[in-house]
Amino acid sequence: MTALNEDTVTAPVTDEEIFTAHEGGKLGVAVTKPLADPRSLAIAYTPGVAKVSSAIARDPKLAERYTWASRLVAVVSDGTAVLGLGDIGAAASLPVMEGKAALFKTFGGLDSIPLVLETTDVDEIVETLVRLRPSFGAVNLEDVSAPRCFELEAKLIEALDCPVMHDDQHGTAIVLLAALRGANKVLSRDLGGQRVVIAGAGAAGIACAKILLAAGVGDITLLDSRGIIHPDRDGLNPIKREMAAVTNKAGLRGGQAEALDGADVFVGLSAGKLPVELVGAMSPDPIVFALSNPEPEIHPAVAARHAAIVATGRSDFPNQINNVLAFPGIFRGALDSGARRITEGMKLAAADAILGVAEEDLAADRIVPSALDPRVAPEVAAAVARAAKEDGVA
């Protein structure tokens, strides 16, 4: 069992600290070449810059070398599914997108710019980004509500000739896969023999189910607010109908209790609660990933009464499943390789790289590296760049 103390918390952060840190925003623009005298000004701006613009006009590919666009990530949101706050609008989502841009720079060494859009129409968002395409090299979609996020990502991948990824879906899924592989290594278990219950069939839940299927998991039971998703259930949207056809090999019906009976792994991606008695009804020494924020589905110490390994989405408990382990390196590797899109192979390579960093000292309370481990992003970037070349998109 995982040894945890229910009172294990970090020192609380005060509201004053939070608001003071956000005054004026968290981002700025840095100049890469000093403008110290008339000569440097003449080179960086007029008249010198006209020569660069003229060269790009003759050969547009030169923009990759002489502008920042090919290394710039657009962090795009419509504010419809922000953290646990829901649909709070574009302006209120901007602090989150600024934070995301700060993470790109800190962990991936990439410049990024937040773009929050005052529209929730999928086609309008696509049209906006198509028109802005000369200004950036990749798109990180963030905090877009399901099921619209699936359509939006698919349309953007088709419309743009650059990497596009909805991090709420795929970043979560990649780190989850790395963590589950790490847990299984600690416990000497095989992913192919396990039944995984995923509570939550939104953006993250669907993506987690897909990547686990691609990785060879034995079976997945997918739950939404109405219970187990299965082919005979009425009212399924197209995405859930697609998942119903490839999950639930056991043919289960019912709700959370029926899903968890005898299950090997629980993955919580909803705001629902997980009663401790249902953890006790799972297979012996199960794996519990209670990933809802800020309050997990079950307190880790309570889950550990039955579970062999417990993970959460929080930094104040062991085994934090944090997207920052994935997205900086994924976009860095995609841009380093000149990839036109992010493939499933690149995502699986990222999960392998994350686990590789943790492998030398895997333990029940360390199944993935720390979110602050400086080795992660470079390893992920290198693995993703190799996979891009192997998949023929570089």
Side-chain angles (χ1 to χ4, degrees), residues 97-391:
M97 303 313 124
E98 288 186 1
K100 190 80 172 196
L103 296 175
F104 266 116
K105 188 66 172 179
T106 301
F107 295 102
L110 291 172
D111 289 314
S112 57
I113 188 164
L115 293 176
V116 294
L117 304 179
E118 199 69 83
T119 178
T120 59
D121 183 276
V122 166
D123 291 329
E124 287 184 2
I125 296 172
V126 172
E127 181 183 1
T128 299
L129 294 176
V130 167
R131 292 180 184 278
L132 289 171
R133 172 65 183 91
S135 298
F136 55 75
V139 174
N140 178 103
L141 289 174
E142 195 77 16
D143 293 345
V144 178
S145 62
R148 295 167 48 257
C149 61
F150 304 114
E151 179 188 4
L152 176 58
E153 184 187 45
K155 286 189 172 182
L156 283 173
I157 290 171
E158 184 66 27
L160 299 175
D161 60 341
C162 68
V164 175
M165 189 177 85
H166 184 202
D167 185 51
D168 302 293
Q169 293 183 58
H170 308 295
T172 302
I174 289 161
V175 182
L176 173 79
L177 175 58
L180 186 54
R181 284 175 168 166
N184 280 326
K185 279 183 175 289
V186 170
L187 300 173
S188 300
R189 296 177 185 171
D190 177 33
L191 185 68
Q194 292 178 319
R195 182 168 68 85
V196 178
V197 175
I198 298 177
I206 296 295
C208 287
K210 287 183 175 181
I211 202 168
L212 290 179
L213 288 170
V217 70
D219 191 14
I220 291 174
T221 308
L222 192 57
L223 286 164
D224 64 8
S225 59
R226 293 178 53 200
I228 295 171
I229 292 174
H230 57 82
D232 299 326
R233 220 184 78 181
D234 294 332
L236 295 177
N237 65 39
I239 296 295
K240 291 181 181 180
R241 195 176 304 117
E242 174 190 337
M243 297 310 299
V246 294
T247 60
N248 195 23
K249 293 177 185 176
L252 300 176
R253 301 290 189 273
Q256 189 180 47
E258 290 77 12
L260 284 166
D261 187 20
D264 303 290
V265 181
F266 170 81
V267 177
L269 295 162
S270 70
K273 296 301 179 184
L274 175 61
V276 66
E277 58 268 23
L278 294 189
V279 181
M282 296 174 70
S283 65
D285 298 327
I287 298 167
V288 171
F289 291 171
L291 304 183
S292 288
N293 272 318
E295 294 300 323
E297 288 81 359
I298 185 171
H299 193 285
V302 176
R305 296 174 191 169
H306 300 288
I309 290 179
V310 182
T312 73
R314 287 174 42 161
S315 60
D316 52 350
F317 295 115
N319 293 329
Q320 183 190 21
I321 309 299
N322 191 323
N323 290 20
V324 79
L325 290 168
F327 70 83
I330 291 169
F331 277 93
R332 180 62 186 260
L335 293 175
D336 283 350
S337 66
R340 298 181 300 280
R341 61 183 57 204
I342 295 171
T343 66
E344 295 306 309
M346 292 160 73
K347 296 170 193 173
L348 293 171
D352 288 341
I354 293 167
L355 177 59
V357 173
E359 269 188 315
E360 60 190 49
D361 53 355
L362 276 175
D365 61 354
R366 191 182 183 278
I367 56 174
V368 288
S370 162
L372 299 174
D373 192 322
R375 299 173 297 168
V376 176
E379 289 294 327
V380 171
V384 167
R386 287 193 298 270
K389 292 175 183 176
E390 292 168 3
D391 288 350

Side-chain angles (χ1 to χ4, degrees), residues 5-31:
N5 185 331
E6 291 186 42
D7 298 322
T8 301
V9 292
T10 58
V13 179
T14 67
D15 286 357
E16 182 181 2
E17 286 179 280
I18 293 169
F19 281 93
T20 298
H22 284 76
E23 284 182 4
K26 300 185 287 290
L27 301 175
V29 175
V31 178

